[in-house]
């Protein structure tokens, strides 16, 4: 009985011990231990009781329960904080979406009103009246902001701050009408869906002057910090070469006006760089929002004249800027508008889509700005941890140095010390040199230490790619370096960083093999860009190679744009040799690749002008295409590839290094072309269905006319005898090894190409859609044009002529040689002249 009573009393004592109240001193002691070790072991808890007399009346099991509860409370606190943060983001995003919805409702109402008004005017003009005043009535019904008038600013004094403030206020109003109004017809970019973790809402312009992009997003930074980051354009806009604030003028409303001169890099070697002369206005609105707006100062807008453009092409920035509003609970809502006119008519026609694409502008400027702010915000909050112990700012600096060095090499500005070397007779590779002593700041290349140091040499080239996704090509080049790189050239570049920089007098292309190991360093929030170290492990197979291949070499490498779903994104792979120390201030000499997509042209009905064979070919036995297959326009995807490699050289070896650089870049170009052909999706399948084109002969008919006319005039078969059936004839013509192309023959008009087979498209470096913009006299050299003019009467009378070997040029300006040419008339079924056909035999790029 006593035993039972003892047991009952023991249980009662244990039950009461569960509800022990802790004194503030006990809680303080337990919190100190929790801060050091949130989950102490049993021995540690017993030690705690011994060391802290104030805890002696608490059982070890109860202390264990306290730590369990404390960890649970900490977890709940973090989860609650996370949910509150998500709730704030959702509330802010909801507010943003409601504002966007209101803007779209206004736009819809405006378009409905315009549509009704135009219908009314068209109905009134369909009567018997011939009143010409309706045109002015229609124009008066349009919104004033869509007309974009150029007001006269004769009353604005360029040296008067009041005049500049008037321009600034006008810029502010126009910017806000684009950011939150309907001044621009915005279309949301594909794949940019709003959400608490998305980059934001991104849209591009449609049917407006220049190119424009707009973005709205949330960031966990205060408005003043956001404005400071965005105004520092050099830190996030990779195409910005320099930005000089030439004058700062305070305004009476607490804002500032800045006069800015900015230079930007050209993305390829085929066009001149752009510069801007702008006025930037920073002010606050009545609701507390912060605004930074900017526009170019021109003769039409008023304001002081800027620096002369020199070698740059002066571009125009239309009212653009940033609207930054504070969020409840912290953070900011940002509206970004970029609207520029890049003077598209000053670039080669094949490159114009690059300067006419709002999607490319969105990726390069608008989205880049949002991503940079988000990156800074997450680094500031500690959400991003990098391995290797380097600070995020240092790693960002490395990425900026790589991009800037590559852009310097591609552009080769004279004021940086670059000058062109004489050509070897071919124009496919450009060689420029820079003998400036400070080309590699902080390095050992000083003329006092190495009197023979000549400088830096860059070999560069650009080429047009067809049907090759830029992201896929760059990813292949990154992962399969051995397919295109030469270890001997890598060794030459790496040797320039050693104590004896010219241990390798000249690279030997085709040297010993190597393997690569990629060591990741950092990546951006959305993994669209990553920085890494590449270790090249060489294998020597001759005694003279042991000195080079016996040690590993290292490259610092930046890769971006490898997301195939990113519309308009530029893909880039840039690398530079580094030594084992990898110091923060290490000099970098970047080389690499850049692939920029060219928006495919809209395939408008142009049957009377061109015969687009691609539009008549569909995959599938019945000419049907599966629902998941890409649209036919994807087969006309074009992109521009720019390659640049930099080397150091000694004065007495300048010509040797130049010859090596030319040979190496040509080898790389050849390798890239082979890779591009291997990874490009096929345009034709073994099953070909034919679709008729309205207003022009079917593809089968044209193929029959070409072959029949060749047989009549030349007296020989163009194709094999067993290919006289319809589909077989078309396939053989398309896959013929020689370049076959047709061009129109019209009086008082230039001959324009209307069709080419695959070899012809490869030769001209274009697509079937872009073929219509190429004229015959533009691809022939002077000698070829003279020969064709002299032989043209013979073609018309005899039906054909043989052309001697010669040189022509592709749409990208690359020289092409051919052994022989044949020109003949193509007759239709009525024996009337339909077009002129050419065949270039055994052609090749020079």
């Amino acid at each position: 009985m006593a035993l039972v009573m003892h047991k009952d009393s023991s249980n009662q004592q244990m039950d009461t011990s569960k509800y022990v109240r802790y004194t503030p001193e006990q809680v303080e002691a337990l919190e100190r231990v929790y801060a050091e070790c949130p989950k102490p072991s049993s021995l540690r808890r017993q030690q705690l009781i011994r060391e802290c007399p104030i805890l002696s009346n608490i059982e070890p099991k109860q202390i264990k329960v306290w730590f369990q509860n404390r960890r649970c409370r900490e977890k709940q606190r973090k989860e609650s904080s996370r949910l509150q943060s998500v709730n704030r983001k959702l509330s802010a995003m909801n507010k943003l979406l409601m504002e966007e919805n209101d803007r779209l409702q206004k736009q819809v109402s405006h378009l409905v009103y315009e549509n009704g008004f135009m219908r009314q005017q068209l109905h009134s003009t369909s009567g018997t009246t011939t009143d010409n005043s309706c045109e002015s009535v229609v124009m008066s019904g349009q919104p004033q902001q869509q007309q974009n008038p150029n007001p006269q600013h004769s009353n604005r004094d360029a040296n008067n701050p009041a005049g500049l403030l008037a321009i600034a206020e006008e810029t502010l109003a126009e910017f806000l009408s684009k950011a939150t109004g309907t001044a621009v017809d915005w279309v949301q970019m594909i794949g940019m869906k709003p959400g608490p973790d998305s980059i934001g809402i991104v849209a591009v312009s449609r049917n407006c002057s220049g190119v424009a992009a707009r973005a709205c997003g949330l960031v966990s930074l205060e408005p003043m910090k956001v404005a400071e980051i965005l105004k520092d354009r050099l830190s996030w806009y990779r195409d910005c070469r320099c930005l000089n604030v030439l004058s700062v003028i305070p305004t009476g409303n607490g804002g500032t006006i800045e006069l800015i001169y900015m230079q930007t890099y050209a993305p390829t070697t085929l066009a001149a760089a752009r510069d801007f002369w702008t006025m930037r206005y920073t002010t606050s609105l009545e609701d507390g929002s912060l605004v930074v707006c900017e526009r170019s100062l021109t003769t039409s807008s008023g304001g002081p004249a800027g620096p002369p453009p020199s070698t740059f092409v002066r571009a125009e920035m239309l009212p653009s800027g940033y609207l930054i509003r504070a969020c409840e609970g912290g953070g900011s809502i940002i509206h970004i508008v970029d609207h520029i006119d890049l003077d598209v008519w000053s670039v080669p026609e094949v490159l114009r889509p690059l300067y006419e694409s709002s999607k490319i502008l969105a990726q390069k400027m608008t989205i880049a700005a949002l991503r940079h702010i988000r990156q800074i915000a997450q680094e500031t909050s500690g959400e991003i941890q990098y391995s290797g112990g380097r600070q995020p700012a240092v790693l960002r600096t490395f990425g900026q140095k790589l991009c800037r060095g590559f852009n310097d090499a591609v552009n080769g500005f004279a004021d940086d010390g670059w000058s062109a070397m004489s050509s070897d007779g071919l124009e496919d590779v450009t060689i420029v040199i820079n003998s400036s002593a400070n080309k590699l700041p902080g390095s050992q290349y000083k003329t006092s230490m190495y009197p023979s140091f000549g400088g830096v040499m860059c070999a560069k080239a650009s080429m047009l790619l067809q049907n090759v996704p830029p992201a896929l090509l760059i990813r292949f080049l990154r992962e399969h370096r051995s397919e295109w790189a030469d270890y001997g050239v890598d060794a030459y570049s790496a040797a320039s960083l050693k104590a004896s920089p010219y241990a390798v007098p000249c690279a030997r292309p085709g040297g010993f093999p190597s393997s690569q190991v990629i060591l990741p360093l950092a990546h951006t929030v959305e993994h669209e860009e990553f920085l890494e170290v590449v270790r090249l492990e060489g294998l020597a197979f001759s005694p003279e190679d042991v000195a080079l291949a016996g040690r590993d070499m290292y490259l610092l490498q930046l890769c971006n744009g490898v997301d195939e779903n990113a519309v308009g994104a530029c893909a880039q792979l840039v690398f530079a040799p580094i030594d084992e120390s990898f110091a923060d201030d290490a000099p970098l000499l970047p080389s690499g690749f850049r692939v920029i997509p060219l928006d495919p042209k809209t395939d408008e009905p142009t049957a009377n002008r061109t015969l687009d064979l691609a539009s008549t070919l569909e995959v599938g036995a019945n000419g049907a295409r599966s629902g998941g297959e890409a649209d036919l326009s994807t087969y006309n995807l074009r992109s521009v590839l720019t390659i640049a490699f930099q080397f150091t050289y000694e004065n007495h070896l300048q010509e040797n290094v130049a010859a090596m650089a030319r040979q190496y870049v040509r080898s790389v170009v050849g390798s890239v072309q082979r890779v591009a052909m291997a990874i490009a999706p096929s345009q034709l399948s073994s099953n070909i269905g034919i679709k008729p084109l309205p207003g022009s002969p079917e593809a089968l008919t044209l193929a029959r006319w070409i072959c029949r006319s060749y047989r009549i005039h030349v007296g020989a078969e163009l194709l094999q005898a067993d290919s006289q059936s319809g589909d077989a004839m078309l396939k053989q013509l398309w896959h013929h090894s020689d370049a076959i192309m047709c061009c129109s023959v019209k009086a008082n008009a230039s001959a324009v190409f209307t069709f080419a087979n695959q070899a012809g498209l490869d030769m001209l470096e274009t697509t079937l859609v872009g073929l219509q913009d190429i004229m015959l006299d533009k691809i022939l050299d002077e000698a070829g044009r003279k020969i064709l003019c002299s032989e043209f009467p013979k073609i018309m009378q005899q039906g054909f002529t043989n052309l001697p070997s010669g040189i022509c040029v592709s749409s990208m300006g690359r020289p092409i040689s051919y052994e022989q040419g044949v020109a003949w008339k193509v007759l239709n079924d009525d024996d009337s002249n339909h077009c002129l056909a050419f065949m270039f035999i055994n052609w090749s790029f020079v």
Side-chain angles (χ1 to χ4, degrees):
M1 187 73 173
L3 181 60
V4 173
M5 289 180 64
H6 176 74
K7 183 176 181 181
D8 291 342
S9 63
S10 176
N11 288 338
Q12 185 179 5
Q13 183 180 2
M14 288 182 65
D15 291 341
T16 56
S17 67
K18 294 179 181 179
Y19 305 103
V20 172
R21 288 184 176 278
Y22 298 94
T23 65
E25 292 78 9
Q26 289 173 330
V27 173
E28 184 180 354
L30 291 171
E31 287 287 354
R32 283 198 302 268
V33 177
Y34 180 83
E36 298 175 359
C37 179
K39 194 175 183 179
S41 63
S42 175
L43 293 176
R44 180 70 182 92
R45 293 194 299 270
Q46 293 176 6
Q47 180 186 2
L48 175 63
I49 294 174
R50 290 194 301 268
E51 293 177 352
C52 298
I54 58 176
L55 300 176
S56 59
N57 64 331
I58 303 177
E59 295 182 7
K61 185 176 181 181
Q62 188 59 42
I63 291 180
K64 178 181 179 181
V65 171
W66 185 92
F67 276 97
Q68 288 175 345
N69 292 339
R70 181 66 179 81
R71 290 194 299 271
C72 184
R73 289 197 304 272
E74 180 70 17
K75 184 177 180 181
Q76 288 176 341
R77 185 189 65 79
K78 290 182 178 178
E79 180 65 11
S80 176
S81 175
R82 188 188 69 82
L83 290 175
Q84 289 176 2
S85 175
V86 171
N87 184 60
R88 285 194 300 269
K89 287 183 179 179
L90 288 173
S91 298
M93 182 60 73
N94 182 58
K95 180 181 179 182
L96 194 61
L97 289 173
M98 290 176 65
E99 292 175 354
E100 183 70 6
N101 185 58
D102 290 342
R103 189 191 66 81
L104 291 174
Q105 290 287 353
K106 292 178 183 177
Q107 188 170 352
V108 168
S109 300
H110 173 73
L111 292 174
V112 169
Y113 169 77
E114 265 194 344
N115 186 44
F117 187 84
M118 293 299 294
R119 283 178 179 273
Q120 180 183 355
Q121 295 301 318
L122 290 173
H123 179 72
S124 64
T125 56
S126 63
T128 57
T129 178
T130 58
D131 183 10
N132 295 327
S133 63
C134 63
E135 183 178 354
S136 61
V137 175
V138 172
M139 291 304 296
S140 64
Q142 302 295 319
Q144 294 301 314
Q145 59 194 13
Q146 294 290 341
Q147 295 181 26
N148 292 327
N150 291 326
Q152 298 299 320
H153 304 303
S154 57
N155 60 335
R156 293 180 179 174
D157 184 359
N159 300 314
N160 184 359
L164 284 176
L165 182 59
I167 301 175
E169 291 293 341
E170 182 183 282
T171 303
L172 172 63
E174 291 189 42
F175 159 68
L176 291 177
S177 69
K178 297 175 184 178
T180 61
T182 59
V184 173
D185 186 7
W186 299 112
V187 179
Q188 186 170 328
M189 281 186 69
I190 298 174
M192 294 295 177
K193 297 181 179 179
D197 296 321
S198 72
I199 192 172
I201 306 170
V202 183
V204 293
S205 62
R206 180 176 62 186
N207 300 329
C208 78
S209 60
V211 290
R214 172 182 175 269
C216 315
L218 309 173
V219 291
S220 55
L221 292 174
E222 295 306 311
M224 291 299 295
K225 181 64 176 177
V226 172
E228 177 187 340
I229 294 171
L230 289 173
K231 290 172 75 171
D232 184 16
R233 198 171 281 146
L234 271 172
S235 67
W236 56 266
Y237 183 32
R238 294 286 174 80
D239 281 355
C240 183
R241 185 193 183 210
C242 67
L243 188 148
N244 298 323
V245 180
L246 303 184
S247 179
V248 180
I249 305 169
T251 61
N253 57 7
T256 57
I257 293 176
E258 300 165 284
L259 300 182
I260 296 173
Y261 177 65
M262 180 178 70
Q263 293 178 348
T264 60
Y265 292 105
T268 74
T269 62
L270 303 173
R274 265 57 180 163
D275 66 352
F276 295 83
W277 169 242
T278 64
M279 180 199 66
R280 186 166 64 191
Y281 181 37
T282 305
T283 188
S284 297
L285 302 181
E286 292 181 358
D287 62 357
S289 301
L290 187 61
V291 177
V292 181
C293 56
E294 190 172 358
R295 78 174 302 162
S296 288
L297 294 177
T298 63
T299 54
S300 61
S301 67
S310 61
T311 58
F312 291 79
V313 174
R314 180 61 50 85
E316 181 180 2
M317 180 182 294
L318 288 83
S320 308
Y322 318 109
L323 171 63
I324 311 165
R325 291 179 292 175
C327 286
E328 296 180 5
S332 304
I333 297 178
I334 312 172
H335 290 72
I336 301 177
V337 173
D338 293 306
H339 192 177
I340 57 178
D341 185 343
L342 294 168
D343 189 11
V344 66
W345 301 108
S346 64
V347 299
E349 188 169 1
V350 70
L351 289 182
R352 286 178 189 170
L354 176 60
Y355 292 79
E356 295 173 324
S357 172
S358 294
K359 297 171 186 175
I360 293 179
L361 174 70
Q363 292 286 355
K364 282 193 170 188
M365 286 192 72
T366 318
I367 298 176
L370 264 185
R371 281 177 173 157
H372 183 72
I373 296 171
R374 291 188 70 204
Q375 186 80 19
I376 298 285
Q378 296 201 15
E379 290 173 359
T380 304
S381 64
E383 297 179 44
I384 299 178
Q385 299 292 332
Y386 292 136
S387 59
R390 294 188 185 271
Q391 294 297 320
V394 175
L395 295 174
R396 277 203 312 274
T397 301
F398 277 127
Q400 290 166 1
K401 288 171 66 176
L402 284 171
C403 280
R404 188 174 183 84
F406 184 69
N407 278 325
D408 282 335
V410 169
N411 285 261
F413 293 115
D415 57 0
D416 280 342
W418 291 100
S419 60
M421 285 188 66
S422 58
S423 170
D424 63 348
L426 304 178
E427 302 297 335
D428 56 333
V429 178
T430 301
I431 301 287
V432 292
I433 58 174
N434 192 330
S435 56
S436 175
N438 59 357
K439 173 58 182 154
L440 290 175
S443 72
Q444 71 272 28
Y445 306 129
K446 300 298 180 182
T447 54
S448 58
M449 298 176 62
Y450 297 102
S452 62
F453 171 63
V456 175
M457 180 180 297
C458 175
K460 52 190 177 179
S462 291
M463 58 186 290
L464 185 70
L465 298 177
Q466 302 174 63
N467 306 325
V468 181
L472 185 60
L473 177 60
I474 288 297
R475 194 161 65 239
F476 184 93
L477 295 174
R478 170 181 174 264
E479 296 172 358
H480 303 277
R481 184 179 179 86
S482 60
E483 293 291 332
W484 57 267
D486 188 278
Y487 189 85
V489 177
D490 288 334
Y492 176 78
S493 299
S496 63
L497 299 172
K498 304 299 177 182
S500 178
Y502 302 106
V504 186
C506 190
R508 298 185 304 278
F512 32 85
S514 68
S515 61
Q516 69 169 2
V517 178
I518 297 178
L519 311 172
L521 276 180
H523 59 77
T524 50
V525 176
E526 298 179 357
H527 294 261
E528 80 281 349
E529 179 176 286
F530 36 90
L531 187 69
E532 55 203 10
V533 171
V534 180
R535 185 173 75 237
L536 301 178
E537 302 169 335
L539 303 173
F541 49 69
S542 63
E544 59 270 20
D545 293 339
V546 173
L548 296 177
R551 57 175 180 264
D552 293 341
M553 297 182 296
Y554 297 88
L555 301 174
L556 181 65
Q557 183 165 275
L558 182 75
C559 183
N560 55 26
V562 292
D563 180 8
E564 293 184 50
N565 297 319
V567 180
C570 160
Q572 187 170 258
L573 182 69
V574 180
F575 45 85
I578 55 174
D579 58 18
E580 295 84 347
S581 64
F582 189 23
D584 290 350
D585 60 348
L588 299 177
L589 201 62
S591 303
F593 307 87
R594 174 182 293 152
V595 190
I596 308 176
L598 299 175
D599 278 352
K601 293 187 178 182
T602 303
D603 195 5
E604 298 175 352
T606 54
N608 294 329
R609 182 180 175 192
T610 180
L611 182 64
D612 188 350
L613 181 62
S615 65
T616 72
L617 302 176
E618 291 191 357
V619 178
N622 299 322
R625 193 182 301 135
S626 61
E629 193 172 344
D631 186 77
L632 201 62
S633 62
T634 58
Y635 291 129
N636 295 318
L637 175 67
R638 296 184 299 172
S639 53
V640 176
L641 168 65
T642 298
I643 303 173
F645 283 86
Q646 296 192 78
F647 309 94
T648 57
Y649 66 92
E650 289 183 282
N651 282 320
H652 64 285
L653 292 175
Q654 177 177 317
E655 294 297 331
N656 292 10
V657 177
M660 177 273 294
R662 284 193 182 94
Q663 179 185 352
Y664 183 56
V665 170
R666 285 168 181 158
S667 171
V668 171
V669 167
S671 300
V672 171
Q673 287 177 327
R674 289 193 297 271
V675 169
M677 291 179 64
I679 65 178
S682 175
Q683 283 189 297
L684 296 176
S685 174
S686 57
N687 298 319
I688 299 180
I690 303 302
K691 179 179 68 177
L693 279 176
S696 66
E698 295 180 357
L700 285 174
T701 305
L702 178 66
R704 182 169 55 82
W705 288 353
I706 292 174
C707 298
R708 172 177 168 269
S709 300
Y710 186 87
R711 182 172 59 253
I712 292 174
H713 299 310
V714 182
E717 294 291 343
L718 180 63
L719 305 176
Q720 296 178 5
D722 59 351
S723 63
Q724 299 307 312
S725 62
D727 285 356
M729 178 184 296
L730 178 58
K731 286 180 62 177
Q732 278 220 9
L733 181 67
W734 180 256
H735 292 292
H736 199 286
S737 59
D738 295 324
I740 300 174
M741 52 197 75
C742 298
C743 64
S744 61
V745 180
K746 295 181 180 179
N748 301 321
S750 299
V752 177
F753 286 107
T754 57
F755 164 74
N757 66 350
Q758 185 61 65
L761 295 178
D762 293 341
M763 173 179 158
L764 295 177
E765 293 189 287
T766 187
T767 64
L768 282 164
V769 175
L771 189 68
Q772 58 188 308
D773 297 325
I774 302 176
M775 292 182 288
L776 176 62
D777 59 346
K778 296 297 183 182
I779 74 160
L780 298 175
D781 61 4
E782 186 176 355
R785 288 193 292 269
K786 289 181 178 178
I787 293 174
L788 183 60
C789 288
S790 63
E791 295 289 324
F792 189 76
K794 183 179 178 181
I795 298 174
M796 292 294 102
Q797 295 175 6
Q798 183 176 307
F800 85 103
T801 189
N802 291 314
L803 303 174
S805 60
I807 298 289
C808 59
V809 293
S810 71
S811 62
M812 296 293 291
R814 298 178 67 195
I816 304 162
S817 66
Y818 56 91
E819 290 185 6
Q820 184 184 353
V822 181
W824 70 97
K825 289 190 301 183
V826 176
L827 307 177
N828 60 19
D829 290 330
D830 298 329
D831 287 337
S832 300
N833 295 334
H834 177 70
C835 63
L836 202 61
F838 291 87
M839 179 167 62
F840 295 96
I841 301 170
N842 293 337
W843 66 272
S844 63
F845 290 107
V846 178

